[in-house]
Each structure stands twice: as C-alpha cells, then as structure tokens.
Amino acid sequence: MSSNEQQPLLGSTRSNPDTGVSAWWASRSRDVLSLLTVLLLLGTGLGIWVYGTLPTSDPSAHPHEYALSTDNIRRHLTKLLEIAREHNNSRSVTTGHAASGSYVLSQLEKYGSCDSYKQRFVSPVWTVTQPPTLRVREPYRVDYIHETDFELMRYGGRSANITHARTTVAARACAAKDIGDVSGRVVVVESTKGCSLFEAAFMLEQMGARAVVFVRAAQYKQPSRMRVRLVEWKEGDALMTIPVLSVTHSVGQVLAHASRVDIETHSQIDEVETFNILCVGRTGDPRNTIVVGAHLDSVRDGPGINDNGSGSSSILEIQLTLARIRFAPHNRLVFAWWGAEEDGLLGSRHFTHTMARNWTNKWTPHEPRVEWTDIALNLNFDMLASPNYIALVHNGTHAPHTTRTGSQRIQRVFENYFARHQYAYEVTDMRGGSDFLPFVQNGVPAGGVLTGAGEVKSIKERLVHGGLAHAALDTCYHRDCDTLLNINIEALQKMSRAAMYAVSTLASTVDLRGYLAGQPEF
C-alpha cells in the first residue's frame, strides 16, 4: 500500500478516541505493543497454520470459495520472501521486483488459464544515500536535526552542497509575480495555497532558486515527507533537480530571519524500466471485463510479505485455482500484478492511462489487447493479512460520482460474504492510497478488501475485532520485519476467500453492467 500522495502538506493524523491512558504508557507503549501483537497473533496464526483452517459454513453452495488453498498462498509468500532475501531484503522496483515477476509468470505459464505478458513502463526511483544537513550560518549559527526539525522531501532533487546561500521568504509561491528575484537563493515558502508542492517547487527551480524549503503550519510538530512530483508522472515528465526540504513551523520562523544557510543532500533520481504483469483470460465476454489487481512490488526498506505479498499471492492462487477447477466465467477476467505501486501507483496509472488517455505504451504485436471501454470494474487487493487486523471493505460511497453506484454494488458483494459467515467487518474510505484510484478517476467502478496498515486499533475496535487495542494494525508496515511472521493466517484465509467469492460471483453475473448500474440496496 502506497502512502497517500494526495495528502496535503499539512496532512492530518488519525486521533485515538480513547482517553485515560497515562503519559508514561503513551510515551513507551509502541515497542511493548509491537512485541505483544506479534506474540499474541503469532499464536493464533500458528494454531490455524498447523491444525487446520477456519470453520466452513456452506462449501456446497460456494464451491469456488472453498477450493482456494491457504496453504498454496502461503507457499507463494514463502517464495516471495526467499526472493527478497536474495535482493537485500526487498522486492522494490530496483531490487526483487523483477524476480518476483518471473515467479508469477512461471506459475501462470505452468498452471494458469490465460495469456500472460509484461506491460513495460518507466518509473522514477529516488534514493537517499546519506542523511541531509541544514544549518543557519548568519546572523547566528544553528544546526538542525534531521527528521525532527527538517526532512528532505521525497523526490526532492539530486545531491547538492549549498554553502552560505542567501535566503528569500515567499509568503505565496504559486505565481512568479508574487515572488520576485530568487536566482541563486534558498527560497523559504510559507504557503502553496492554490497550487501543488511540485508546481511551486518546479516554478522556483525554473526561476533560478538553488533550493526550496516548505514551512509547515504550527499545529504540525513534524516535517513532511510527501512526494514533490507530478502525481500522474509518466516518462518524459519533469522531475526536481534542486533540493526540496520541509521544516517545522518553529524552524521556519528562524529561517525567515536568517540571511545565509547551508544545505547538503545526498540523493539521486534514476528513471528505470519496470513492468506490470497482465494475465488475460481466454474465455468470457470481453465486453464485460473484470480487472483483478494487486501490486507486486514492496518498499525498498522491507520484503513486503503482507504489503503486498498477501494480495499478490492471493490473486495468483485464485487464478490458478479457477484454472484447475475449469471455471468458465461469463465475463472475462484479467488478472494484473502492478509494478511501482510504492512509487505512487505508477503501474496501475500506466495501465489505465494508456487506454483512457492515450498515453504511449510499449505494446508488442503478440500481446492480447484490452480496450478501455471493455472494462466493467476493478477489484483491488492490498494487504490481506495484517497481524492485528480489522476486516475492511472499501466504501463505494466515497467513489467519484460517475462510479459511485457501481462501486457500491461491488461493496455489497463483499458485505454479503461477511454477513453469510457472520464475520465482523468495517467499511473504509477509498479516496486514495492504492491501485483502485486510477480506475475510479477514469470512470470505472472499483472495490476491494484489506486489513489495515499503520492505523491504531481502538478499544472499541478491539472489542469487536479482537487483537490488541492501542497497537497498529500492522506494526511492521513498510519495515524490514514484514516477513512471514507478520502474516496473520486467519486474516489471510478470510480475506483471500472474500476475494475469491467476489471474483467468481461477479465473473458469473449474466447482466454485469446492469447489476453495476442498479440502485444499491442499502
């Protein structure tokens, strides 16, 4: 799951609704809770792993759902972890993603029932090799602390060594007429109201600035690490070359009165070729195509076994299971393993925009074509086995107006699954953060299930869903500990079967477009 690049610079954090927790516990609980989460849920997971599966309610009525093997999904996860171990404990675009793709393709070619191929595209990869420094030199000397006082924003330029640079304060930075001469200066920006961070920073770079420093509002105590890049970046689009930093409000007040500063950064941006894997079904009505997607890449800092080995392994096993049982869909199924999701949903954006917006695509003659108007819906599966999980269903009400009704109808399919099994679940927003977004933004309804990332479970949620209160749903989210020990097997079985149920149900729906256009029964 990708950090939400649509979050504003002065973004919000989730507040804990419970009160009465002591300051001591609040300041020291994270490490303790992380350990307790692993111990408690590891016991539950191992019990299911060793002694069997969850109770079943109606296997004869829903045979596809129960044909899915959690053991096989676990084997895929084991292979992905092995790949990560061979690539510096990562499956990112520049580490183990290519090998992960080769594994998926090998499984599809041996056991699948589709025509599979790679859809190639270019992704910008930003790497920091050493921590940055920020120092006020005049009229007094102050050395600031990285990650506390300031942060080098993601995609915030290449390496630079700036010394004794003059500063300029820009109250607003969305129009050149409001700024004046910034050539050779470090520009301290107090507001970007009316434009994006990238638009402001890139304009200042074009005007000759040596670096850009964005000041956060007073209510935010930490600097931002948002991306300073076009949200829908594609090959040929501009990238920042000068440093772009974020500072806390108090640091910004000092910089506003400083005359000279030093900034040193150690970073690089490389444009690398990567790919999506597409598995195009050979049967079913192509005019009612269902795209079943999950991102295959991980962050650079970890192996990504929950995020998102759990989703990508689940849809792989769903495809192989449907092939094994000779499932005959009424509507064509296209399975997709997206690349570069962790770099800003770039793989799914490339797939949608090559068709919906005529972006350039590197098609080869033998590839089976998918037409945009043929796609009826998208199902997205991102993080299905969080250790302290809550079963979450995307709320179709949050989809754009043009896709809202269809997304609500998809939501209802998942809710039917949870109601039938009497599993507790909650609905969650679908405003950003994963690969459904390019579909709903371009007129295709979408839906999916997930089990949560860094959100903290409340006492009320713990009473309903179990697990640990005041602990993250996934304490290893985007960390090097996102390994097999971070997988909750109970969650994996529940959520992968929910995915299979939705895939097989919607693939079998005779009037799929009519169903999606119908009024939701809520």
Side-chain angles (χ1 to χ4, degrees), residues 380-458:
N380 186 64
F381 302 104
D382 191 352
M383 301 182 66
L384 301 187
S386 302
N388 194 28
Y389 79 101
I390 295 175
L392 300 169
V393 178
H394 279 305
N395 188 349
T397 303
H398 293 150
H401 177 72
T402 55
T403 62
R404 187 168 301 152
T405 298
S407 298
Q408 287 173 322
R409 296 294 274 179
I410 297 168
Q411 173 188 343
R412 181 166 178 80
V413 173
F414 287 109
E415 290 181 323
N416 287 343
Y417 166 85
F418 288 103
R420 177 164 51 84
H421 286 283
Q422 298 183 341
Y423 293 153
Y425 73 94
E426 293 183 13
V427 295
T428 189
D429 71 73
M430 55 185 306
R431 295 189 174 97
S434 196
D435 292 300
F436 61 81
L437 189 62
F439 287 90
V440 297
Q441 287 178 333
N442 289 280
V444 171
V449 290
L450 62 157
T451 54
E455 308 95 315
V456 174
K457 182 177 287 186
S458 68

Side-chain angles (χ1 to χ4, degrees), residues 44-63:
T44 302
L46 286 176
I48 296 170
W49 188 311
V50 174
Y51 294 107
T53 59
L54 295 171
T56 59
S57 58
D58 48 359
S60 60
H62 300 277

Side-chain angles (χ1 to χ4, degrees), residues 316-373:
L316 174 60
E317 188 57 31
I318 288 171
Q319 208 293 319
L320 301 183
T321 301
L322 294 178
R324 176 172 53 80
I325 65 177
R326 298 182 180 179
F327 176 69
H330 182 81
N331 307 304
R332 181 174 66 174
L333 290 168
V334 173
F335 288 81
W337 289 264
W338 310 120
E341 190 268 359
E342 298 291 3
D343 295 312
L345 318 183
L346 295 182
S348 55
R349 283 192 162 116
H350 182 78
F351 174 81
T352 58
H353 293 169
T354 54
M355 294 177 286
R357 302 187 187 180
N358 296 316
W359 279 15
T360 300
N361 186 40
K362 300 179 180 179
W363 297 106
T364 56
H366 71 278
E367 293 172 355
R369 297 297 294 267
V370 179
E371 301 294 337
W372 184 249
T373 54

Side-chain angles (χ1 to χ4, degrees), residues 447-481:
V449 290
L450 62 157
T451 54
E455 308 95 315
V456 174
K457 182 177 287 186
S458 68
I459 291 177
K460 181 179 178 180
E461 290 169 333
R462 184 258 178 193
L463 293 174
V464 175
H465 302 280
L468 291 175
H470 306 300
L473 302 184
D474 184 353
T475 56
C476 289
Y477 174 60
H478 284 186
R479 295 173 61 193
D480 60 3
C481 55

